[in-house]
Amino acid sequence: ALLAAPVSAVTCTSTAAGGNWNAVGTWTGCAGGNGPVANTPGSADTAIIATAGASVVTVNVAVTAGVVTVNAGARLTQTQSLTLSTATLSGTLNAAGILTSNNVLTVNGPTNITAGTFSPASASARTFVGMVTVSGGTWAGTTRAATFRGGLTVNGGTFTAGTGVQTFSTNNQTIGGTVAISIPRITVTGVTLSNSGNLTVTTALAGTGGLTNGTAASQLHINFTGAVGITTLTAAVAGNLVDYAFAGAQTIKVPASGYQNLTLRTSGAKTAAGALTVNGDFTLGGSATFAAGSTTHNFAGNWIIDTSAATPITVTTTSRMNFNSPAPAAPRSIGGTTAATLAFADVFINNT
């Protein structure tokens, strides 16, 4: 029987002048490349973009590559689809230059943005299967959507998601890093997204999956009006914070296992969607108010009432506040800077 010849991976480096991806003259060291034209980079190959000045390598035909690296100061522009494949190599996208995406982009390995600018400049689909790490440069999302399947870490640079929906799907994954992340619209589809950093959502948090504040340092800032639409919110890990900070009315979601630390601030009525449990501190700030509704809430931490509102808490005749003993037992207080009177309908104190 005849055996297929093995695919030989090569490293193709663009000339300083750049050119079209499928032009042999765009590349050096690319003999044997299995790209769309022989001797251009393909699925078994590494493509290094090393253009100078305003020169560009243009993905002018549909391309599948093994690894793509855009050097500092170099330019790569997509006008046709680009897929990073893990069939032979790691499927990694490394960007330290200027990468402009005007068509479908699928990265099956890791994505590393270390400098320069990544600009998704069209409405085409962009899917990142491996971890996306931004450690420098700029992710300029503008109005574009993106799908993440391996998580997102921001340790430096600027991550601007833009107004398009950022979807986290297929695999359980983590969002976090040493730099705070702000995303207008997050949808989590059928998986758990673990927040290990400082995350702000400004328009919508939705989807059939769940978001978990997974570490003591996790902070989730909910900065939009109305209700949180995601199916499951988990915020029980000791030390973590959920902060409802929109300047206006908000609905406080009932999480899977209660809140650890819960803050309601800025302004407007923050209305409980059901019975709340807060095992750490409950803080009311700005001029915000807490609308308790007709249900029973359980608190095991301090109340810190710093709001300037004349009536910080509104209750009904069937509202009940249980102040329970924390584990381990410790003194707890109701305090803060407010000069207002706190009016309760029914209070049960069980703090030993």
Side-chain angles (χ1 to χ4, degrees):
L2 295 176
L3 298 177
V7 175
S8 178
V10 297
T11 297
C12 308
T13 303
S14 79
T15 64
N20 287 333
W21 188 287
N22 67 344
V24 174
T26 299
W27 307 99
T28 62
C30 208
N34 70 333
V37 171
N39 303 320
T40 63
S43 60
D45 306 318
T46 296
I48 298 175
I49 311 303
T51 58
S55 298
V56 180
V57 171
T58 301
V59 181
N60 64 314
V61 294
V63 168
T64 298
V67 172
V68 172
T69 295
V70 184
N71 284 350
R75 296 171 181 262
L76 175 66
T77 297
Q78 271 186 269
T79 59
Q80 298 298 321
S81 66
L82 174 62
T83 299
L84 280 295
S85 171
T86 57
T88 304
L89 299 178
S90 63
T92 299
L93 173 62
N94 301 304
I98 298 174
L99 171 55
T100 304
S101 175
N102 290 305
N103 210 300
V104 174
L105 175 64
T106 304
V107 184
N108 285 293
T111 297
N112 302 304
I113 309 295
T114 57
T117 302
F118 169 61
S119 299
S122 72
S124 304
R126 289 169 188 89
T127 302
F128 302 91
V129 177
M131 172 66 79
V132 173
T133 302
V134 180
S135 57
T138 300
W139 179 295
T142 61
T143 61
R144 307 310 178 193
T147 297
F148 299 88
R149 296 181 183 174
L152 171 64
T153 298
V154 181
N155 289 328
T158 301
F159 179 84
T160 304
T163 57
V165 175
Q166 311 298 293
T167 299
F168 295 82
S169 66
T170 308
N171 305 299
N172 294 337
Q173 53 195 284
T174 299
I175 185 170
T178 58
V179 174
I181 299 172
S182 180
I183 299 177
R185 292 178 170 87
I186 291 180
T187 295
V188 183
T189 304
V191 300
T192 297
L193 178 64
S194 294
N195 171 35
S196 63
N198 188 325
L199 174 63
T200 298
V201 185
T202 59
T203 302
L205 176 57
T208 57
L211 188 143
T212 296
N213 263 5
T215 73
S218 300
Q219 295 186 21
L220 173 62
H221 304 277
I222 300 171
N223 287 11
F224 56 86
T225 191
V228 175
I230 197 167
T231 297
T232 304
L233 175 64
T234 303
V237 171
N240 90 90
L241 169 69
V242 177
D243 170 35
Y244 289 80
F246 180 73
Q250 291 182 278
T251 300
I252 308 166
K253 186 174 180 66
V254 178
S257 301
Y259 289 100
Q260 180 62 25
N261 297 305
L262 175 63
T263 294
L264 315 177
R265 65 183 174 95
T266 310
S267 63
K270 316 301 183 183
T271 302
L276 301 178
T277 295
V278 183
N279 292 311
D281 289 343
F282 172 71
T283 302
L284 195 57
S287 61
T289 61
F290 174 44
S294 301
T295 190
T296 298
H297 305 292
N298 293 282
F299 299 92
N302 300 309
W303 272 35
I304 304 165
I305 311 301
D306 291 335
T307 181
S308 62
T311 306
I313 301 165
T314 57
V315 297
T316 71
T317 56
T318 56
S319 297
R320 176 169 169 165
M321 306 294 182
N322 290 338
F323 292 91
N324 298 318
S325 181
R332 291 294 184 257
S333 65
I334 298 176
T337 61
T338 185
T341 298
L342 304 182
F344 300 100
D346 190 8
V347 173
F348 179 79
I349 299 175
N350 179 30
N351 192 328
T352 58

